[in-house]
């Protein structure tokens, strides 16, 4: 995959979720994450609520098609191998009557892992794609969490972004030099990356930290004004909370 085709995640979406405040998008994403993790995809109600949560957030966020496709591919590569362990899994006790179950027996365990893992991946990345990087600090400051934790999260995101950009620059340089062509170059590149990539990203992190210190980016400077809540936040979080209540109710009824 060419580095020029790398899909930017932060702020890449242009859906109606952009009308919400950044903290509203974060909380809505957390509620939907709880929905996909608590829903039981082994049953028809659980699978339906799982699909409904993802469909609603997909329509609200409207992430780039390339991002959706690559996330599905990554999810398949990460979670599909669990089905290979099916012969060694004991069949669990399933909730509800046979009429409400999607499947029976040993497949229930990898089925749950795959659906919940994929759902969490999609909701998390789609939420990030709805928040431009410049709005992240203001949104975190508006959340009811300790300020020290907000500052730590902001620093982690900024440093991670700097390291990601440095990694892309190294990848582009390798492609220009033809290092990514042919299977014979793979061992050479794999052996050279620790000696090239690690020193460069460490140097980049030090330069970013020195630049922030020179410009007076101490704790007081990092404290930004909290982003304002918006009217659309109540609608988005209300719908997500309603789905969460339905999931919990369905689990209790089928228990």
């Amino acid at each position: 995959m060419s580095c020029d085709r790398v899909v930017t995640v932060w702020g890449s979406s242009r859906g109606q979720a952009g009308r919400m405040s950044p903290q509203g998008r974060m909380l809505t994403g957390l509620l939907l994450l709880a929905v996909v993790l608590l829903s039981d995809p082994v049953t028809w109600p659980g699978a339906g609520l799982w699909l409904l949560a993802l469909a609603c957030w997909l329509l609200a966020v409207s992430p780039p098609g390339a991002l959706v496709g690559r996330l599905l591919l990554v999810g398949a590569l990460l979670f599909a191998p669990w089905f290979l362990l099916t012969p060694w899994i004991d069949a669990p006790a399933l909730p509800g009557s046979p009429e409400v179950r999607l499947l029976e027996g040993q497949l229930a365990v990898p089925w749950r892992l795959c659906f919940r893992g994929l759902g969490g991946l999609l909701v998390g990345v789609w939420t990030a794609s709805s928040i431009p990087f410049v709005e992240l600090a203001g949104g975190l400051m508006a959340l009811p969490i300790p300020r020290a934790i907000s500052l730590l999260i902001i620093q982690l995101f900024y440093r991670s972004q700097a390291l990601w950009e440095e990694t892309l620059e190294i990848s582009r340089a390798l492609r220009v030099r033809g290092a990514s062509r042919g299977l014979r170059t793979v061992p050479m590149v794999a052996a050279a990356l620790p000696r090239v990539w690690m020193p460069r990203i460490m140097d980049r992190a030090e330069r970013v930290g020195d630049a922030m210190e020179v410009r007076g980016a101490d704790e007081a400077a990092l404290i930004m004004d909290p982003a304002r809540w918006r009217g659309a936040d109540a609608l988005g979080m209300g719908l997500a909370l309603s789905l969460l209540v339905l999931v919990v109710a369905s689990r209790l009824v089928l228990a």
Side-chain angles (χ1 to χ4, degrees):
M1 180 179 63
S2 174
C3 292
D4 296 332
R5 298 179 182 176
V6 173
V7 178
T8 302
V9 175
W10 292 102
S12 60
S13 300
R14 295 294 181 267
Q16 296 299 315
R19 297 184 177 182
M20 303 170 62
S21 65
Q23 63 270 22
R25 281 167 262 168
M26 293 179 196
L27 292 178
T28 302
L30 285 175
L31 289 171
L32 292 176
L33 178 62
V35 170
V36 298
L37 292 180
L38 290 177
S39 61
D40 192 351
V42 173
T43 64
W44 286 105
L49 291 172
W50 181 92
L51 183 60
L52 180 60
L54 288 181
C56 291
W57 199 224
L58 175 63
L59 292 176
V61 173
S62 297
L67 179 61
V68 176
R70 292 176 187 183
L71 283 176
L72 292 175
L73 178 60
V74 170
L77 293 175
L78 286 176
F79 304 112
W82 286 104
F83 287 95
L84 299 177
L85 301 177
T86 302
W88 296 276
I89 297 176
D90 294 331
L94 299 179
S97 60
E99 290 77 14
V100 299
R101 296 174 192 162
L102 232 67
L103 71 167
E104 302 279 350
Q106 299 165 309
L107 281 174
V109 174
W111 186 268
R112 284 168 171 163
L113 288 172
C114 183
F115 269 74
R116 289 170 178 170
L118 179 61
L121 176 67
L122 294 176
V123 170
V125 177
W126 290 349
T127 302
S129 71
S130 70
I131 305 172
F133 206 72
V134 295
E135 297 181 5
L136 181 63
L140 286 172
M141 287 298 175
L143 295 176
I145 57 178
R147 181 153 294 183
I149 296 179
S150 299
L151 292 174
L152 177 61
I153 296 174
I154 293 170
Q155 281 285 355
L156 288 174
F157 276 119
Y158 275 106
R159 296 297 179 94
S160 300
Q161 182 72 8
L163 298 183
W164 172 247
E165 292 174 356
E166 187 70 22
T167 302
L168 290 182
E169 291 178 5
I170 295 175
S171 300
R172 293 189 184 101
L174 290 173
R175 285 192 61 83
V176 169
R177 291 166 174 81
S180 60
R181 298 174 184 173
L183 295 177
R184 292 181 299 177
T185 63
V186 172
M188 178 185 65
V189 173
L193 276 179
R195 300 195 302 267
V196 177
W197 182 72
M198 285 299 295
R200 285 198 60 172
I201 63 174
M202 292 175 65
D203 181 66
R204 177 68 175 267
E206 291 178 358
R207 284 189 281 114
V208 171
D210 293 341
M212 294 177 68
E213 184 176 355
V214 169
R215 294 167 184 169
D218 55 6
E219 181 177 339
L222 286 173
I223 298 177
M224 300 180 61
D225 293 332
R228 294 183 178 181
W229 294 90
R230 303 175 187 173
D233 297 339
L235 176 61
M237 290 188 292
L239 292 175
L241 185 59
S242 300
L243 285 175
L244 182 57
V245 171
L246 288 176
V247 167
V248 174
S250 66
R251 293 292 299 267
L252 292 175
V253 169
L254 298 176

